[in-house]
Amino acid sequence: MMSLESLSFSGVSSSPDKQDNKQLTLLYSTTVFLAREAFRRACLSGGAQRDWSQTLNLLWLTVPLGVFWSLLLGWVWLQLLEVPDPDVVPHYGAGVVLFGLSAVLELLGEPFWVLAQAHMFVKLKVLAESMAVIFRSVLTAFLVLWLPHWGLYIFSLAQLLYTAVLVLCYVIYLIKLLHSPESTKQLTLPVSRISQLLPTITRSRAFVNWKEAKLTWSFFKQSFLKQILTEGERYVMTFLNVLNFGDQGVYDIVNNLGSLVARLIFQPVEESFYIFFAKVLEREKDAAHQKQEDVAVAAAVLESLLKLAVLTGLTITVFGFAYSQLALDIYGGAMLSSGSGPVLMRSYCLYVLLLAVNGVAECFTFAAMSKEEVDRYNFTMLALSSSFLVLAYLLTSWCGSVGFILANCFNMGIRITQSLHFIHNYFQRSPHRPLAGLRLSPVLLGVFALSGGVTGVSEAVLCCDHGWSARLAHIAVGTICLGVTLGTAFFTETKLVHFLRTQFGRSRLSDKMT
């Protein structure tokens, strides 16, 4: 039976429930990604003159597709993967069913999500996800304290509540908005009542826009490969068992901590500016055959985003090397900070830099590619996915869990190269050079190098076996270095500062309007 100890940090390294919850989360994320990713990319790319009824009809196809993937992957999880002993981990089968059901439930809100994203309802997205996380956390804590013997029912029911709250937030918000004539007129929504968001069949036009459908199919083929690259290490761990539970537990903790910045900053930026680039640029034309004012705006934004990604990623990499051990020691004690944890965390800091640049580069690339270019890119993704899985298995067998991160770095490096090559060719016949955003000023690079050296020496002298006074001194050294670095960036990267001020002003204006 599951006890409170198996949910605490001290039980992470060997808790079967923790491992099986991770497998169920992988089932959920795979189902949702394969069912909706292609539709999101294709349906957010249309212009203002699109027929929204056809777009919404296409989006509703994610639900039957989600049912198909949920049933297929649920069968794989129950029949092909190793099922835990019911006496040790009870209710695993019910967990598979409930996580699959939660994936389908989340897909019911896809038309509402795309409509909200297309009209830049940023505050709604933040509010919906925050409320869903809060409700899930509260229910999990309550069930763990009062009904710990429920085992995986706890995580499954909490996940089901998460998706229900997420969908309801979008539905209730749009219903309320559509009942406000002033807001509807001000935001020029393509629907006037909630029933128009449901599937509609008419004889006067096709059920879906076939151009969008073909683009969706191109992205759909790509979504298989991208999911392997995104969750590849989890598939290797789940299907091949290359790491024991202890190493998997430490890797999972480091991965969750290291990906916080990616989830909180990089992912929202990528999603928001993918919509921006898809609306500003036309897919079938290169930069020389588009409106030059739109190309200039897109190039300026892309340059600033690349600069921001490099600056943020480099800051995390430089300071993460010197403070990984301290962060893990504070979070989990000696069990994390004295083993492979610090090496994993430092490697992940480098991976975050590549992740930041890749996110920005790919959000432009996928927004600007034509259908034919997406199809050609799929062949590259196929080769990359195969090589990534092989490399992840070999590196993990050779150097343990850090091999997953090294394989991910290789994967990101190749993807960045592909995207930068596309961007270079795209703007080659125009006067704009957005790839200049990858270059930081020499002064700022010097300050980064100096900060890395100072904090490295500080870690060796003060951390982490000299008591809290030494640790606080180490933190103070890092704070001073970080302040100097950010101050230098403020005075040397003036274009980026102007861009951030402009975006912050627009976001505040958008919040007031909504």
Side-chain angles (χ1 to χ4, degrees):
M1 290 293 185
M2 184 177 68
S3 63
L4 286 175
E5 286 77 10
S6 69
L7 288 168
S8 66
F9 176 79
S10 60
V12 165
S13 62
S14 59
S15 169
D17 296 282
K18 177 71 176 180
Q19 175 64 16
D20 293 308
N21 180 43
K22 186 168 66 176
Q23 289 186 4
L24 294 178
T25 303
L26 182 63
L27 166 66
Y28 162 81
S29 64
T30 303
T31 301
V32 169
F33 188 92
L34 292 178
R36 77 182 182 193
E37 176 70 10
F39 291 86
R40 282 187 171 185
R41 290 196 175 276
C43 293
L44 286 172
S45 301
Q49 304 302 318
R50 67 172 10 155
D51 186 337
W52 268 99
S53 63
Q54 291 181 321
T55 299
L56 292 169
N57 287 342
L58 183 63
L59 286 168
W60 279 110
L61 295 179
T62 60
V63 178
L65 190 61
V67 172
F68 167 77
W69 284 118
S70 179
L71 293 174
L72 177 62
L73 294 175
W75 177 81
V76 171
W77 256 244
L78 290 174
Q79 300 298 324
L80 300 184
L81 295 181
E82 182 181 357
V83 177
D85 188 343
D87 295 329
V88 179
V89 182
H91 318 307
Y92 180 78
V96 170
V97 173
L98 289 174
F99 266 80
L101 180 61
S102 69
V104 176
L105 179 59
E106 183 167 343
L107 293 171
L108 289 173
E110 198 60 19
F112 305 91
W113 185 92
V114 170
L115 183 65
Q117 285 293 99
H119 291 82
M120 301 296 181
F121 293 170
V122 179
K123 190 165 61 174
L124 170 60
K125 183 175 184 291
V126 174
L127 176 65
E129 293 182 356
S130 299
M131 289 186 63
V133 169
I134 290 171
F135 274 91
R136 179 176 62 184
S137 302
V138 170
L139 180 62
T140 301
F142 176 81
L143 293 178
V144 165
L145 290 173
W146 294 100
L147 298 167
H149 59 279
W150 277 22
L152 288 177
Y153 272 135
I154 295 174
F155 302 106
S156 304
L157 292 175
Q159 182 65 27
L160 201 59
L161 179 64
Y162 169 86
T163 55
V165 172
L166 195 64
V167 173
L168 283 175
C169 283
Y170 280 96
V171 174
I172 293 173
Y173 184 91
L174 287 175
I175 290 176
K176 181 180 178 181
L177 190 64
L178 290 173
H179 279 80
S180 174
E182 294 181 0
S183 297
T184 306
K185 187 180 298 184
Q186 184 179 20
L187 296 170
T188 61
L189 291 175
V191 296
S192 58
R193 57 184 184 274
I194 200 67
S195 61
Q196 292 178 324
L197 290 170
L198 300 176
T200 56
I201 300 176
T202 60
R203 295 182 178 180
S204 60
R205 62 179 181 274
F207 182 69
V208 298
N209 182 322
W210 287 108
K211 183 178 180 180
E212 281 184 342
K214 291 177 182 178
L215 184 60
T216 301
W217 174 242
S218 296
F219 279 124
F220 183 73
K221 291 181 287 185
Q222 187 186 96
S223 64
F224 285 94
L225 308 174
K226 188 176 179 182
Q227 179 66 5
I228 293 175
L229 296 176
T230 303
E231 299 278 11
E233 70 270 16
R234 297 187 184 274
Y235 293 122
V236 173
M237 281 191 284
T238 299
F239 287 91
L240 300 180
N241 295 319
V242 293
L243 298 178
N244 58 45
F245 277 175
D247 290 337
Q248 288 188 37
V250 173
Y251 177 84
D252 198 39
I253 292 169
V254 171
N255 181 64
N256 288 335
L257 289 175
S259 62
L260 277 176
V261 176
R263 292 198 301 267
L264 296 177
I265 300 177
F266 299 152
Q267 185 177 356
V269 168
E270 180 180 352
E271 290 177 351
S272 299
F273 283 95
Y274 171 82
I275 300 171
F276 169 80
F277 290 129
K279 286 182 173 294
V280 170
L281 302 174
E282 296 183 49
R283 281 190 178 274
E284 305 300 326
K285 300 178 181 179
D286 60 17
H289 295 86
Q290 307 225 25
K291 294 181 180 179
Q292 290 307 299
E293 56 270 26
D294 290 342
V295 173
V297 170
V301 170
L302 178 58
E303 180 179 350
S304 296
L305 288 177
L306 287 172
K307 183 85 69 176
L308 179 62
V310 172
L311 184 58
T312 306
L314 196 57
T315 301
I316 293 171
T317 302
V318 169
F319 289 92
F321 267 74
Y323 289 88
S324 292
Q325 185 177 0
L326 178 60
L328 292 175
D329 190 69
I330 294 173
Y331 181 79
M335 187 184 74
L336 271 183
S337 61
S338 61
S340 61
V343 177
L344 280 172
M345 198 68 172
R346 292 185 180 107
S347 302
Y348 208 99
C349 289
L350 175 61
Y351 175 54
V352 167
L353 171 60
L354 299 176
L355 200 64
V357 176
N358 178 72
V360 172
E362 281 196 346
C363 89
F364 176 86
T365 299
F366 292 144
M369 274 183 171
S370 65
K371 176 187 175 299
E372 291 72 21
E373 288 170 326
V374 171
D375 289 334
R376 287 198 299 269
Y377 189 78
N378 287 342
F379 288 102
T380 303
M381 293 281 280
L382 176 62
L384 187 56
S385 301
S386 303
S387 61
F388 168 70
L389 291 176
V390 173
L391 187 63
Y393 178 78
L394 294 176
L395 288 176
T396 306
S397 302
W398 175 48
C399 55
S401 52
V402 73
F404 282 127
I405 300 178
L406 296 179
N408 274 321
C409 289
F410 169 80
N411 156 36
M412 285 298 162
I414 299 297
R415 288 168 66 176
I416 289 171
T417 303
Q418 291 289 324
S419 297
L420 296 186
H421 178 70
F422 173 84
I423 294 171
H424 172 75
N425 290 339
Y426 188 88
F427 288 99
Q428 192 171 20
R429 296 169 60 187
S430 76
H432 309 291
R433 296 294 179 264
L435 294 184
L438 296 172
R439 298 193 298 267
L440 298 179
S441 71
V443 175
L444 182 56
L445 289 175
V447 172
F448 269 118
L450 181 62
S451 297
V454 171
T455 53
V457 172
S458 174
E459 180 187 31
V461 175
L462 301 173
C463 187
C464 288
D465 302 320
H466 304 286
W468 269 103
S469 59
R471 295 181 185 184
L472 291 175
H474 179 46
I475 294 173
V477 171
T479 302
I480 294 171
C481 290
L482 180 60
V484 172
T485 302
L486 295 180
T488 305
F490 181 83
F491 288 106
T492 58
E493 304 296 342
T494 53
K495 288 179 64 176
L496 177 60
V497 173
H498 175 71
F499 171 77
L500 293 176
R501 283 176 172 171
T502 304
Q503 292 302 312
F504 180 72
R506 287 177 180 173
S507 66
R508 292 183 64 181
L509 180 60
S510 176
D511 289 343
K512 290 179 180 179
M513 291 178 62
T514 56

